[in-house]
Amino acid sequence: MNQTIKKYALFNASCLALIVTSMTFAVRAKLEGVLETDFQLSSTEIGLAFAPAFWGFTLAMIIGGPLVDYFGIKKIVWMAFFSHLIGIVLTIFSTEFYSFFLGTMFIGIGNGMVEAACNPLVASLFPENKTKMLNRFHVWFPGGIVIGSLIGYFMMDMLSLPWQALVAVLFIPLVLYGVLFMGKDLPKTERVAMGVSNKQMWKAVVSPLFLLMGFCMLLTASTELGTNQRIESLLSETGVSGILILAFVNGIMAIGRGFAGPVVKKLDTTGMLLFSAVFSCLGLIWLSNASGVIVFAAAFVFAIGITYFWPTMLSFVAERIPESGALGLSLMGGLGMFSVSIVLPVMGSFMDADSGASTLSYVAILPAILTVIFFFLFMKFKGNKIQRGVEVEKSVS
């Protein structure tokens, strides 16, 4: 098997692992009503029950990030697999807040390990096309949410199947990515291949630019994932199915990320981030005032905005601060998920006190702040050449 085929085989296995991660988000969104009726939880308690998916993700990425360099990508992939397996089983057999909480925590850890392993894997496989290929990899985050949302709508709304059956569907992509990674040799991380020392790595992750991007990641992730995770309750008064809007938004995101290459060439990473902040802010403001079919138009604007947030934030760090290595990518992802674990209960308290519409208007403040920051970054880096990683194709064996 030649090197190109091996690279894309590993890339496809990574995409399937990300599908499991993203489908868990859609499944949780669909289970929000179950937690409210069957488990008798308030909106705030539901936010707390969902939170370990995000801080578990954060914990896994912060721990898994450095371990990727030391133990290799392969071991972290298998840690992801078994964490997912345990979490899915625990969720299926959960009957109240604490058992659901525990299952969600293991799923969150599995999700974090997938990102900790697969982001540096993709960056290592395609050092000359990081932004393009990380966006293509992250097609399957919204793509998996679309798949999970439509399956959830079909199984629970149309066929009235028990929610446990919906959770059990996660076993399908789980087994597939386990089989595809089995027996494969994976490359070294880019930092190891570059010969960057631990001292250089730690210096990179405490640099002013990295710290600024870390702060921005808190806001971009809350804007995207916080809104998507609570979409059912946020849009409950609009007369439109929240789960269908979730599928619609993530369908737009998947298409946008699939065609990221031409966008990268035209806007560069800082231009993409500025574009994303402006449109996500406008979309949230419109969603806070929309009802009926107009919700789809507002959701379209919001989707265009959040499409490039997550992968382009990672790409910026991989390209502009490559010495940060797998740790840098993991810290960015971990900060993003940690922020969502905080914002979900906060959003729940706003909804308990007022409405989904008013909560959306508060969330719009986050991309408004990002618009200002990304404008200055765009002006600073406009025309600057990006540092490229080293070619590591030879390490794929």
Side-chain angles (χ1 to χ4, degrees):
M1 188 186 295
N2 65 44
Q3 298 297 327
T4 300
I5 293 175
K6 288 181 180 180
K7 284 169 65 172
Y8 280 95
L10 292 173
F11 178 76
N12 291 335
S14 300
C15 291
L16 271 166
L18 191 61
I19 287 175
V20 176
T21 294
S22 55
M23 283 185 69
T24 65
F25 282 77
V27 168
R28 269 196 310 275
K30 189 58 185 171
L31 294 185
E32 185 168 355
V34 173
L35 296 180
E36 184 177 355
T37 55
D38 293 12
F39 289 22
Q40 297 292 302
L41 302 181
S42 67
S43 288
T44 303
E45 289 171 329
I46 292 171
L48 291 171
F50 284 173
F54 299 95
W55 58 252
F57 187 113
T58 303
L59 180 65
M61 291 202 74
I62 291 175
I63 294 174
L67 293 181
V68 169
D69 286 326
Y70 291 110
F71 296 123
I73 296 172
K74 190 172 186 177
K75 288 184 174 65
I76 305 302
V77 165
W78 286 110
M79 290 177 69
F81 177 87
F82 287 108
S83 295
H84 273 149
L85 178 63
I86 294 169
I88 293 168
V89 172
L90 288 175
T91 301
I92 289 173
F93 289 100
S94 64
T95 56
E96 37 73 49
F97 175 88
Y98 293 103
S99 53
F100 187 89
F101 182 97
L102 189 60
T104 303
M105 182 185 71
F106 273 97
I107 287 175
I109 291 171
N111 293 348
M113 289 296 179
V114 165
E115 290 265 352
C118 294
N119 283 322
L121 173 58
V122 173
S124 297
L125 292 171
F126 306 97
E128 300 300 321
N129 294 290
K130 292 176 186 175
T131 300
K132 176 182 174 181
M133 296 310 294
L134 279 169
N135 267 280
R136 284 192 177 178
F137 169 52
H138 282 275
V139 162
W140 294 106
F141 192 85
I145 290 178
V146 172
I147 294 168
S149 299
L150 294 178
I151 291 175
Y153 181 78
F154 180 74
M155 292 182 69
M156 294 185 66
D157 292 356
M158 297 186 68
L159 298 182
S160 300
L161 294 176
W163 63 267
Q164 292 89 344
L166 174 60
V167 178
V169 171
L170 294 170
F171 284 123
I172 298 173
L174 175 70
V175 171
L176 287 175
Y177 93 71
V179 170
L180 286 176
F181 272 118
M182 190 176 295
K184 297 288 194 309
D185 291 322
L186 275 64
K188 296 177 181 178
T189 63
E190 193 174 20
R191 183 182 78 84
V192 172
M194 290 171 65
V196 175
S197 68
N198 287 335
K199 182 178 179 180
Q200 290 172 296
M201 177 187 69
W202 286 106
K203 184 178 179 180
V205 299
V206 296
S207 66
L209 180 58
F210 187 91
L211 294 176
L212 176 62
M213 295 308 292
F215 171 75
C216 291
M217 193 67 174
L218 297 173
L219 306 187
T220 59
S222 293
T223 301
E224 175 188 344
L225 299 178
T227 304
N228 278 342
Q229 189 67 92
R230 301 304 301 268
I231 199 74
E232 280 271 341
S233 49
L234 286 168
L235 300 180
S236 61
E237 299 173 359
T238 63
V240 177
S241 169
I243 200 69
L244 291 183
I245 291 293
L246 183 65
F248 175 74
V249 166
N250 284 274
I252 299 298
M253 292 172 66
I255 293 170
R257 289 180 181 180
F259 293 94
V263 181
V264 173
K265 289 181 180 179
K266 189 166 184 67
L267 295 179
D268 197 18
T269 51
T270 51
M272 291 172 74
L273 290 172
L274 177 59
F275 171 92
S276 296
V278 171
F279 276 83
S280 58
C281 182
L282 294 174
L284 283 169
I285 292 171
W286 194 1
L287 275 173
S288 69
N289 293 282
S291 62
V293 294
I294 301 300
V295 173
F296 283 92
F300 177 81
V301 175
F302 175 66
I304 290 296
I306 62 175
T307 290
Y308 299 115
F309 261 157
W310 188 280
T312 307
M313 291 291 291
L314 296 178
S315 300
F316 183 96
V317 170
E319 291 179 340
R320 301 281 182 184
I321 321 172
E323 298 85 0
S324 63
L327 176 62
L329 294 176
S330 294
L331 287 174
M332 289 294 289
L335 285 169
M337 287 299 177
F338 176 71
S339 71
V340 182
S341 73
I342 295 172
V343 81
L344 287 179
V346 174
M347 291 171 69
S349 64
F350 283 147
M351 286 185 282
D352 283 336
D354 200 340
S355 66
S358 64
T359 302
L360 285 167
S361 64
Y362 289 129
V363 177
I365 296 171
L366 304 182
I369 296 170
L370 289 166
T371 299
V372 176
I373 296 173
F374 290 150
F375 173 77
F376 284 106
L377 285 176
F378 176 74
M379 297 305 294
K380 175 179 174 59
F381 289 105
K382 188 177 181 181
N384 286 15
K385 290 185 178 181
I386 294 171
Q387 301 177 52
R388 297 291 181 186
V390 295
E391 179 61 59
V392 295
E393 188 171 292
K394 292 180 180 179
S395 65
V396 183
S397 57

